[in-house]
Structure formats: C-alpha cells, structure tokens
Amino acid sequence: MANIAAFFFLCLSMSMSSYLQVFLQAMAHEWPGGRSTRFYDFKVQTLRVTKLCNTKEIVTINKMFPGPVVYAQEDDRIIVKVTNETPYNATIHWHGVRQKLSCWFDGPSYITQCPIQAGQTFTYEFTLVKQKGTFFWHAHVSWLRATVYGAIVVYPQTGVPYPFKYPYQEHIVILGEYWLRDVVQLERQVLASGGAAPPADAFTINGHPGPNYNCSRNDIYKIDVVPGKTYLLRLINAGLNMENFFAIANHKLTIVEADAEYTKPFTTDRVMLGPGQTMNVLVTANQPIGKYSMAIGPYMSAQNVAFQNISAVAYFQYLGAVPNSISLPAKLPSFNDNLAVQTVMDGLRSLNPVNVPKEIDTSLFVTVGLNVNKCRSKTPQQNCQGTNNGTMAASMNNISFVKPTISILEAYYKKIGGHFTEDFPGAPLRFYDFVNGAPNNAPNNTQAINGTRTKVLEFGSRVQLIFQDTGTVTTENHPIHLHGYSFYVVGYGTGNFNPQTANFNLVDPPYINTIGVPVGGWAAIRFVADNPGVWFMHCHLDIHQSWGLGAVLIVENGKGEMETLPHPPADLPRC
Ligand code: C2O
C-alpha cells in the first residue's frame, strides 16, 4: 500500500474522469463500456534536452521524457486525446493492449490509421478488457519511438490481490536507447544508404544513461530502498534496435509477470528483454547496506553488427548507505550469451490455467530474417552500403513488407482497392536449410520480393504460427510482436523446425505479445482469431521493421455486434 506515487496518480486520473462525466455519459452506450473511464491529454511537443554533453530537441509527450504514465484498473476505459504540436507525423500505439473491437485506435501508422499530422488531433478510446499488468505506449511512425514512450500500469480490480506477497513499493524501469541525431532523419539516411544502422549513442534507464557515459555523472536514475523490503520492478524495453540484459548487483530477480500476464515465480540472476517486452520482477533488499548497480547491457546475437557496448547503470541504494560510496557492479552476461536468454525463456510459465487451442484450423510457417537485395542505384557508393555492396532488407517468407500510403484498415473497411493484396504465403516460397552454414553466400538467394501482403483469417479460427529464423545474412534473435492479441508460446528450439522432434508445451505455456524467436531457431505460437481488424505483426527492432520485417493479419468479422468491428471514429486522421 506504500506506493504513494501510484496512489497519487490514480487519484489524479479519477478526478479528471469525474470532470468529464457529462461527456462520458454520452459515450456510455458504446461497447465495451469499461468500469470507470480515465482521461489523458497527450500533447506531442519538442523538448530541448542536454545529455552526453550535447543539447538537442527531442520529441516527447507533454515535454516529459520518459512520457507520462497511464494508470488504470482492469476493465477500465481509457481516453487519450493526442494533439500534435510538432512538425513530425505522429501516432501512439498502446503496446500489449488487445484493442478488443477497437482496432481503429491501435496506432501503427499506415496499418490502422494515417499519421496525426502537424497541428492535428486524434482521440484514442479503448477498454482494457480482462487485461492488467505492465504495458507501454509508444509512437508508431518512423523512429519516433526513440523518445516517445511511457509506461501503462494497469492494477487489478479493487479488492483483487496480486498472486504474490504485496511488495513494499513499485517502480517503473524503462530501458531505452538514446541518439544524438534526429531519429527521423537517421531512419531516412540509413534506408538511403542501403547499409546497417549505426549503434545508439547510449542505453538509458528511465531516460538516464548513468555514470559510464560522458558528462553523465549526475544523469543517473536511482531507487532508494529500505533494508529487508521487497520491491516490484516493472521492466519495459522501449529500446529501438537492441535487446538488453538487465541485472542488479548481488540481488536475485523473481519474474512474476511477462507481457502483462502472470507467470509462475521464477528466480534468476538476470533477465533479457527485447524491445516490446515487459516483465515484472520482485527484488528483496536482503544484502548488506550499500549501493548496488542496476545495469543494462547489449544482447547481440547477430554476426558482424556494430552495437553500443557501454552499459547503462542506475542505483539500487539502501537507506543508510554512504551516498558517495562506490557502487557494487552488476554482473551482466556477455553480449552473445544465448544460453542466458534461453534460461529466462524456459522459466516463463503461465501461472493461471491456460486455454491453448489443441486443434488448429490455420497453420502458417513464417521465415523471419534479413536479405540483401541487388544494388539498383546509379550511385552505389552512396546507396548500396549493405553486405556485398547490396542494399539491406528484411522479410517474412521472403516478402519484404512495404507500408501503403493510406491505412490498410481504412482501405479494407471502405473497400478501396489497390493498396494491399491478400496473398501473404502460408509458407516460404522456397525451402532450404534455413539456419545452418549461416551466413550463406548472400548474393545467391537472399533477394526479397516487395509487397503489401496480408493474410485473411476467418473469425474464430484457431491459428498456429511457426516462426523460423533464417541465416541468409546472419541468424539473429528477432522479437516478433503481434498487435491485437496475446498468444501462447507452445514451443521453441534451435535449428530448423522439425514437426517430428518438436516438443510442445500445451500445459502452462506463457501468454505474451512479443516472442524472441531464438537465434538460428524457431518458435511456435497459438491463438484464436477472435478480434476482428487489421493487425500488424512485425519485428520490434525498428531497423528490421524499416527494412520490411513484417506482415499483416486481417481477421474478418464474426456474427453479430459483439464480433463485428464498429465504424471508424469521425476524427480518424486523413493521409
Ligand atoms: Cu510496440 Cu507495432 O509495436
């Protein structure tokens, strides 16, 4: 009960919502109504910040970095009015929120909406139907997510306890990557070069790089702890292009939730989160009084990719510790410790009884990986800086996803032809040894086909997706995120997927929304397609998304109002 900050924000948002009661009553007939309604005002604004000896303008919400926390309770309705006061295009995605019958408010640009242009407003409205835990929101256009992100904390309904001993306090810990360059320009330049993305200038914890970086001695996040007490840390990886290990010196972490679903308690020395993943861990301050480092460092499973190798450090500081004392360093695994990643994954098991589909109606086999396309530029020096002087791309089943110029949802709903096709293949166009011998000779077989291809799923169908990593350029762990759903991870392994030997867990698989497909391996997920709409499925490493590592699933309407996507909102942005 001691989380004063959370309590304060709950009160704040409640008074805001009562202020809006008259307005809300008019909305009350809309399904799903939600229990109480919480209103937030998000202004997209630039902010001048000085970090790493450099002053620059970053894009933020309400001039906060990280942005404001959205607090709510399970089954609440959330209304966020977003006003864009910057020259950049903006959208906000509510990562992990399943958007039941509210696909219009999901947020990925050119998938469910056109961007909110400079000076424009769009109001997002959705209900947290049967959802609670740690989520986050982030911009879903270009690479704006680098600074436009914040936590969503959804408490259980009043009187419903956590399935573990109540922590003394809760803290939000957001992992990020900071760039000194303008990220919108950076994405453009990287794509134009045909080559790889440069590493971030710093990792951050709640926006702070910590003492290992230049000019950052005072730019450090800190949690003050009382000896003997247990803390709940809500970990969120909002980074752009890197997966990260997280550890606290001399302290154990007990995972109790992953992607906003409870897990069986699993105790470990460190965790790994890919961008798009969230995790709640319990930490008990049971060590001698002192100052301990809380650190994040890189997990890089690919070959020949440059990355930031300086860890971001925050402090986990005991009451009574000498303030200027040296902090004990946290032990992070080495950057390529695949076993450490697997150990965490093995530990994720659903706490509550699961509802895994046992029979499957639609089974898709989807390769995920990078490509090198032939240089088509007259100025190869400038535009073909990829492997073997080609241009880098990425794909699912060798289709490199191209975003259309209007939103796919709008085109689908209004039957406007010519913006997408419905022929995303259910299996790769060519089968080969996907992972062994990687990196393969790139020019031979890694050309990808461009397309805006979707896969249409019948309402209620039981779907299985097998993701298979490829090594055509380099094998790599890809954090694949599906919008509109959580899914059961029924299996994963290394090598090529083999149905004869694959072991599936139908008993207590984790129910998550972003799966790190193991480097040079595969992962199998299952879900029931019971939420109509247009849902993006993509790698949450932004550089891979920019290169085309994604596809779209269209789930058709079922029968009746409760299985049908409502009309679009009147203020839906136009392209
Ligand atoms: Cu958090 Cu489409 O992403």
Side-chain angles (χ1 to χ4, degrees), residues 9-306:
F9 274 104
L10 271 170
C11 294
L12 186 74
S13 62
M14 272 190 267
S15 61
M16 275 191 207
S17 68
S18 58
Y19 176 72
L20 278 165
Q21 213 124 60
V22 180
F23 166 62
L24 296 173
Q25 257 148 24
M27 315 289 309
H29 64 278
E30 285 208 12
W31 193 91
R35 288 169 73 95
S36 47
T37 303
R38 299 179 193 275
F39 179 84
Y40 286 87
D41 206 10
F42 273 28
K43 294 205 161 59
V44 189
Q45 295 170 325
T46 53
L47 172 73
R48 272 187 97 69
V49 293
T50 301
K51 277 189 193 295
L52 312 165
C53 319
N54 250 279
T55 301
K56 65 170 282 209
E57 292 217 316
I58 60 169
V59 180
T60 67
I61 298 298
N62 301 349
K63 297 197 185 285
M64 291 167 74
F65 177 62
V69 182
V70 171
Y71 286 101
Q73 279 180 292
E74 181 172 354
D75 288 339
D76 279 354
R77 186 143 181 95
I78 306 291
I79 300 183
V80 187
K81 182 181 173 197
V82 179
T83 307
N84 186 2
E85 300 179 356
T86 73
Y88 303 98
N89 277 341
T91 73
I92 303 290
H93 167 54
W94 316 92
H95 183 113
V97 174
R98 293 197 276 266
Q99 299 289 1
K100 191 77 180 177
L101 299 190
S102 52
C103 187
W104 297 106
F105 303 103
D106 190 35
S109 56
Y110 303 107
I111 309 295
T112 64
Q113 69 165 98
C114 299
I116 308 168
Q117 294 172 29
Q120 303 292 302
T121 292
F122 179 49
T123 301
Y124 291 87
E125 299 184 35
F126 52 88
T127 300
L128 297 159
V129 182
K130 297 201 184 98
Q131 289 198 269
K132 58 177 169 296
T134 305
F135 307 78
F136 71 121
W137 54 263
H138 62 76
H140 210 306
V141 59
S142 180
W143 285 5
L144 267 201
R145 174 161 70 88
T147 55
V148 182
Y149 59 77
I152 305 176
V153 174
V154 183
Y155 294 104
Q157 287 180 8
T158 311
V160 177
Y162 291 145
F164 43 83
K165 195 174 145 254
Y166 218 89
Y168 178 67
Q169 263 186 355
E170 303 184 4
H171 293 275
I172 293 163
V173 177
I174 312 184
L175 322 185
E177 278 177 290
Y178 192 79
W179 307 75
L180 292 174
R181 292 157 74 180
D182 176 311
V183 285
V184 175
Q185 261 175 35
L186 181 64
E187 187 205 21
R188 250 185 248 133
Q189 284 165 5
V190 169
L191 292 181
S193 78
D201 295 292
F203 294 125
T204 56
I205 296 177
N206 287 344
H208 303 284
N212 292 351
Y213 289 94
N214 283 344
C215 310
S216 305
R217 270 171 201 286
N218 297 313
D219 200 353
I220 309 173
Y221 178 70
K222 185 177 68 141
I223 296 175
D224 289 307
V225 300
V226 176
K229 301 291 188 194
T230 297
Y231 293 81
L232 178 71
L233 305 187
R234 298 177 179 272
L235 305 177
I236 297 167
N237 190 341
L240 216 54
N241 292 333
M242 277 300 294
E243 306 189 299
N244 289 107
F245 289 110
F246 171 87
I248 305 179
N250 298 17
H251 288 75
K252 300 251 180 231
L253 311 171
T254 300
I255 303 170
V256 291
E257 184 192 298
D259 286 5
E261 291 286 337
Y262 292 133
T263 57
K264 296 193 171 111
F266 176 72
T267 301
T268 169
D269 289 323
R270 74 291 261 228
V271 293
M272 195 287 283
L273 286 91
Q277 296 184 308
T278 64
M279 205 177 261
N280 285 3
V281 298
L282 294 171
V283 189
T284 300
N286 56 6
Q287 295 300 306
I289 288 182
K291 189 160 135 191
Y292 297 86
S293 288
M294 228 171 5
I296 66 167
Y299 169 49
M300 173 50 80
S301 56
Q303 311 284 319
N304 305 321
V305 180

